[in-house]
Amino acid sequence: MAAFGADAFSSDGALELLKELTEETPERRAATLEHLFQSVKDRPELVERNFLPDQVVAAAAIVAATAFGGDQFDERLQALATDDPAFDARLPTPVEGLASAALEALGSVADRWRQERSKDTDAVEAGQTIAALSQVLAHASVLDDLDAIWNDACDYGADGEAPEGTPLGIQHLASLLRIHGSVMGGGLGFALEVNEPFRVRLAVEALNYFGLNEAAELLEDTLGRSLKGEDSDSWPTDDHFDGLTDGDVLEIAFRAKASEVPADFGRA
């Protein structure tokens, strides 16, 4: 095998890393990769001394192999493992936050990694490898960020209050997820019973913010009926409230808004 191939795993250094990771349990591999990426960030002067650009690129490709769009890296890893189980360094599942760390580390070594590929054909192919790897990791990093935002908003919603300074979009998401959780736990009547009217109104504002206007109108109308003492049999049924009862609808609306106005979610 060439010492400096244009594939993410086509070098002696990359294969050495794969062997080392294969000796660890699959659960420990993610921690080892995270430590490598953090070392590149904290001690860039150690690149070429304690670890090679080839190893950083291979580590990033292992992470990319678990991500959406990373099929080419997953297939390459599977082929290596089939030929020799000593190179089976795959991660069992994606690990939250690891794609972002991998992307940052990759950016620190990509130029040096490409420069080591001296032939013109290798240089072109190496550039294509880095471009594909960067694209997969960038997409996975965005998903990591949005998942973390969603989880924080769930916690804030459960607590009933977001910390001071929380971006507007996350505040709205927390308000909406609080009522969503109540509806899922016991239905619309239960949600109106256990949440104060001001919290329901915050959810109405949030629904409008996320473009779920029909659900917002229905929730506002139902709150009004409830406050007037109308029998719950006259209220709209839970089936009318996709914006409150369908988690997929909420997530799609959230991701669309976060892409449209990233500053509202602390992502600018």
Side-chain angles (χ1 to χ4, degrees):
M1 180 174 291
F4 296 112
D7 179 86
F9 304 111
S10 297
S11 71
D12 296 338
L15 294 180
E16 180 182 341
L17 175 70
L18 292 181
K19 279 191 173 182
E20 291 175 359
L21 289 171
T22 301
E23 293 172 358
E24 299 183 349
T25 64
E27 293 73 23
R28 284 291 307 161
R29 288 172 195 161
T32 299
L33 291 170
E34 184 175 15
H35 177 72
L36 173 59
F37 298 143
Q38 192 64 41
S39 297
V40 174
K41 178 179 180 180
D42 295 341
R43 301 289 302 279
E45 71 276 8
L46 296 181
V47 178
E48 302 283 8
R49 289 166 51 190
N50 288 24
F51 38 81
L52 301 173
D54 286 358
Q55 293 172 319
V56 179
V57 172
I62 292 171
V63 177
T66 68
F68 178 78
D71 294 351
Q72 69 183 86
F73 303 106
D74 184 45
E75 290 169 2
R76 179 71 172 121
L77 275 175
Q78 289 187 43
L80 285 169
T82 299
D83 290 341
D84 188 342
F87 296 129
D88 190 1
R90 290 172 289 178
L91 294 176
T93 59
V95 178
E96 184 175 325
L98 201 56
S100 298
L103 181 62
E104 185 172 1
L106 179 67
S108 299
V109 305
D111 286 343
R112 273 178 281 188
W113 187 83
R114 285 194 298 262
Q115 288 167 6
E116 288 172 347
R117 277 72 193 159
S118 56
K119 294 181 181 179
D120 290 344
T121 54
D122 277 352
V124 172
E125 293 173 4
Q128 293 170 343
T129 296
I130 292 298
L133 189 50
S134 298
Q135 182 177 6
V136 171
L137 291 174
H139 180 69
S141 298
V142 171
L143 296 181
D144 279 345
D145 290 345
L146 294 182
D147 285 343
I149 289 171
W150 180 277
N151 292 337
D152 285 344
C154 282
D155 292 339
Y156 300 155
D159 293 341
E161 186 176 0
E164 185 177 351
T166 299
L168 177 64
I170 301 177
Q171 292 184 44
H172 281 312
L173 184 60
S175 297
L176 183 49
L177 289 176
R178 179 182 179 89
I179 304 303
H180 167 72
S182 299
V183 171
M184 297 305 294
L188 183 59
F190 173 76
L192 295 182
E193 179 182 340
V194 299
N195 288 286
E196 303 95 320
F198 83 89
R199 296 194 187 280
V200 180
R201 293 190 179 98
L202 288 175
V204 170
E205 292 179 16
L207 285 166
N208 281 317
Y209 173 80
F210 286 109
L212 301 171
N213 307 104
E214 184 176 350
E217 185 177 343
L218 283 171
L219 182 58
E220 186 172 25
D221 177 64
T222 304
L223 174 62
R225 294 185 185 193
S226 173
L227 294 175
K228 291 177 182 177
E230 289 188 19
D231 192 287
S232 59
D233 290 340
S234 67
W235 299 355
T237 66
D238 293 356
D239 293 338
H240 291 90
F241 285 90
D242 281 351
L244 281 177
T245 61
D246 191 327
D248 289 339
V249 170
L250 292 184
E251 184 172 357
I252 291 170
F254 154 62
R255 291 181 181 277
K257 194 70 174 182
S259 297
E260 177 188 347
V261 194
D264 279 8
F265 298 86
R267 302 179 63 242

